[in-house]
Amino acid sequence: MVTLDQAQRAITAGVKAAQGMGVKVSICVVDARGDLLAAARMDGARYFTLDVARGKAMVSATFAQPSANYAERAGSPVMQSLNQLNGGRFFFAQGAVPVAHGGNHDGAIGVSGATAQQDEEIAKAAAAALG
Amino acid sequence: MVTLDQAQRAITAGVKAAQGMGVKVSICVVDARGDLLAAARMDGARYFTLDVARGKAMVSATFAQPSANYAERAGSPVMQSLNQLNGGRFFFAQGAVPVAHGGNHDGAIGVSGATAQQDEEIAKAAAAALG
Amino acid sequence: MVTLDQAQRAITAGVKAAQGMGVKVSICVVDARGDLLAAARMDGARYFTLDVARGKAMVSATFAQPSANYAERAGSPVMQSLNQLNGGRFFFAQGAVPVAHGGNHDGAIGVSGATAQQDEEIAKAAAAALG
Amino acid sequence: MVTLDQAQRAITAGVKAAQGMGVKVSICVVDARGDLLAAARMDGARYFTLDVARGKAMVSATFAQPSANYAERAGSPVMQSLNQLNGGRFFFAQGAVPVAHGGNHDGAIGVSGATAQQDEEIAKAAAAALG
């Protein structure tokens, strides 16, 4: 299980990575069930970025894979049905990576606000800080 | 009509088949109406697999065919409307097979958690045990 | 965490208790998050009883209390909002009890099909068999 | 406008207040629009508390008043419609307070997980730390 301390450390690292790139993003940490543990929207990031980051993290947590792996199948009926089963909150796009401790799938970190590629890099920087 | 005893026997056989493959799945048995009779989520199977298995079984029971036969038509407006009429719980993907006794359509068994092909094989193993 | 073996043992005990009362019910076991682990609908139990049992179990798991404690507040806006946040699947009525192991809240067992009082007694019998 | 730094400082103060009371809660900071700025779920707080805290903060931000002031009107058609206009995410219950700087309405802080009274006290402690 990811602790709140770890989640906040991850967010701090993600914000730092985003600042280094000169971008403004939202960062969300979810548990293995896809439920939100911690979230932050950087000053100037658009209002919708936080829920997009959460939706990417839900996809990543659900499949224990980077959300990018599912971006091309986003329009598929299977993914649409899965989204519907989860209240329409999924977001099938690059920018979230799973988090694992000692082989256990522990959740995911999702980012939104920059390019999809940058979002994923920031998510990885955040995940690396999780320890 | 599938009895609870039969449904539980089917689930036991499905779990055994999944263990033989080294995969963790959820298995759902529904009646001809698509309503759930019995369900089981194996230890370690992800949270969403049970409702996905149920959604596949609903499709299979509705058409008295393997759900795989409808995977390609999943995006059609007709299938989307049918799904909507059933509360958005349908899941148009391979992994469920119908159950019949002496020519009667009696329901379906749906599986989720492994590959779609494995899911269907487990569903068949479960159906075979129904007697 | 409740294992599938434990959940199935609980269902078997619940079915036996229901048979002893001469009633036909559905029994659902959910984890602490409210996600379904195992379910069974007894022969002759009405189609809707399984989802009602699930909804009661979700309420009990959410509050780590018997669902009966929330029956009188079912119509309150707070409970309606909580239900809405969970896809409308909650059912605020007597008949589910929480499950705990060594002080940990581990989920709940919900029953539907008999009187609310009988439903709860069956849920307790099922929970007692969980070990 | 509440900055992310301020929001995180508020959450840290709220967590500390909750720890002082021996309770486990989720804390959400939203802007004047009701959109999430920052959120945290304490270790051991139940899964639904974060979205409940968010829903309370949305109510508080919308009316620039403590959410407690709207708890009794929660069932009114006007409040239900307003909730519907906002995707069903409002939560009309005590536990959120508005945040103001120099007379400007700047958002709100919502808390869930303890008693409604404690939730509000924690929200106030968090708001006080916002500076």
Side-chain angles (χ1 to χ4, degrees):
Chain A
M1 300 258 286
V2 176
T3 65
L4 178 55
D5 268 355
Q6 289 175 308
Q8 288 174 326
R9 213 183 307 144
I11 285 177
T12 300
V15 167
K16 201 171 170 182
Q19 287 169 334
M21 295 177 187
V23 296
K24 296 163 181 173
V25 299
S26 287
I27 302 173
C28 287
V29 184
V30 302
D31 61 25
R33 176 56 177 80
D35 291 318
L36 201 54
L37 283 172
R41 172 150 57 102
M42 289 173 66
D43 301 339
R46 303 291 307 280
Y47 78 90
F48 59 86
T49 54
L50 195 146
D51 279 322
V52 170
R54 179 183 185 165
K56 291 181 185 178
M58 288 179 84
V59 169
S60 182
T62 293
F63 296 108
Q65 292 187 36
S67 57
N69 296 5
Y70 291 83
E72 293 196 1
R73 297 171 57 193
S76 79
V78 163
M79 292 301 150
Q80 291 299 309
S81 290
L82 203 58
N83 189 12
Q84 198 165 355
L85 285 177
N86 284 279
R89 290 180 301 173
F90 277 18
F91 206 93
F92 295 95
Q94 187 179 15
V97 295
V99 167
H101 276 150
N104 287 323
H105 172 47
D106 274 343
I109 298 177
V111 175
S112 171
T115 68
Q117 183 61 41
Q118 287 173 316
D119 286 345
E120 188 178 282
E121 283 168 32
I122 295 165
K124 283 178 181 168
L130 222 142
Chain B
M1 300 256 289
V2 177
T3 65
L4 178 55
D5 268 355
Q6 289 176 308
Q8 287 174 326
R9 213 182 308 142
I11 285 177
T12 299
V15 167
K16 200 172 169 183
Q19 286 168 335
M21 296 178 186
V23 296
K24 296 162 182 175
V25 299
S26 287
I27 303 174
C28 287
V29 184
V30 302
D31 60 24
R33 171 58 180 78
D35 290 317
L36 203 54
L37 282 172
R41 173 153 55 104
M42 290 172 66
D43 301 340
R46 303 297 309 280
Y47 75 91
F48 59 90
T49 53
L50 196 147
D51 279 323
V52 170
R54 179 184 184 163
K56 292 180 184 178
M58 290 178 83
V59 168
S60 182
T62 295
F63 297 108
Q65 291 187 37
S67 57
N69 295 6
Y70 289 82
E72 292 196 2
R73 297 170 57 194
S76 77
V78 164
M79 292 300 151
Q80 290 301 305
S81 291
L82 203 57
N83 188 13
Q84 201 164 353
L85 285 176
N86 283 280
R89 290 180 299 172
F90 275 20
F91 208 93
F92 295 96
Q94 186 180 16
V97 295
V99 167
H101 275 150
N104 288 323
H105 172 48
D106 274 344
I109 299 177
V111 175
S112 171
T115 68
Q117 183 62 41
Q118 288 173 316
D119 287 345
E120 189 180 279
E121 282 168 33
I122 295 165
K124 283 179 181 167
L130 222 142
Chain C
M1 300 258 285
V2 177
T3 65
L4 178 55
D5 268 354
Q6 290 176 307
Q8 288 174 327
R9 212 183 309 146
I11 285 177
T12 299
V15 167
K16 199 172 169 182
Q19 286 168 335
M21 296 178 188
V23 296
K24 297 162 181 174
V25 300
S26 287
I27 304 173
C28 287
V29 184
V30 303
D31 62 24
R33 175 58 176 77
D35 291 318
L36 201 54
L37 283 173
R41 173 154 53 104
M42 289 173 67
D43 301 339
R46 301 292 306 278
Y47 78 90
F48 58 87
T49 54
L50 196 147
D51 280 323
V52 170
R54 180 183 184 164
K56 292 180 185 178
M58 290 179 82
V59 168
S60 183
T62 294
F63 296 108
Q65 292 187 37
S67 58
N69 296 5
Y70 291 84
E72 293 196 1
R73 297 170 58 193
S76 78
V78 163
M79 292 302 149
Q80 291 300 308
S81 291
L82 203 58
N83 190 12
Q84 197 164 359
L85 285 176
N86 284 280
R89 290 180 299 172
F90 276 18
F91 206 93
F92 296 95
Q94 186 179 16
V97 295
V99 168
H101 276 150
N104 287 324
H105 172 49
D106 273 343
I109 298 177
V111 176
S112 171
T115 68
Q117 184 61 41
Q118 288 174 316
D119 287 346
E120 188 179 281
E121 282 168 33
I122 295 165
K124 282 178 182 168
L130 223 142
Chain D
M1 299 259 286
V2 177
T3 65
L4 178 55
D5 268 356
Q6 289 177 308
Q8 288 175 326
R9 212 183 308 142
I11 284 176
T12 299
V15 167
K16 200 172 170 182
Q19 286 168 335
M21 295 178 188
V23 295
K24 298 161 181 175
V25 299
S26 287
I27 304 172
C28 288
V29 184
V30 303
D31 60 23
R33 172 58 178 78
D35 291 317
L36 203 54
L37 282 171
R41 173 153 55 105
M42 289 173 67
D43 301 339
R46 301 297 308 280
Y47 76 91
F48 60 90
T49 54
L50 195 147
D51 279 322
V52 170
R54 180 183 185 166
K56 292 180 184 179
M58 290 178 83
V59 168
S60 183
T62 295
F63 297 106
Q65 291 187 37
S67 56
N69 295 6
Y70 289 83
E72 294 197 1
R73 296 171 57 193
S76 77
V78 164
M79 291 302 151
Q80 290 301 308
S81 292
L82 203 58
N83 188 12
Q84 200 165 355
L85 285 175
N86 284 280
R89 290 180 300 173
F90 276 21
F91 208 93
F92 295 95
Q94 185 179 16
V97 295
V99 167
H101 276 150
N104 288 323
H105 172 47
D106 273 344
I109 298 177
V111 176
S112 171
T115 69
Q117 184 62 40
Q118 288 174 316
D119 287 345
E120 188 178 282
E121 282 168 33
I122 295 165
K124 283 179 180 167
L130 223 142

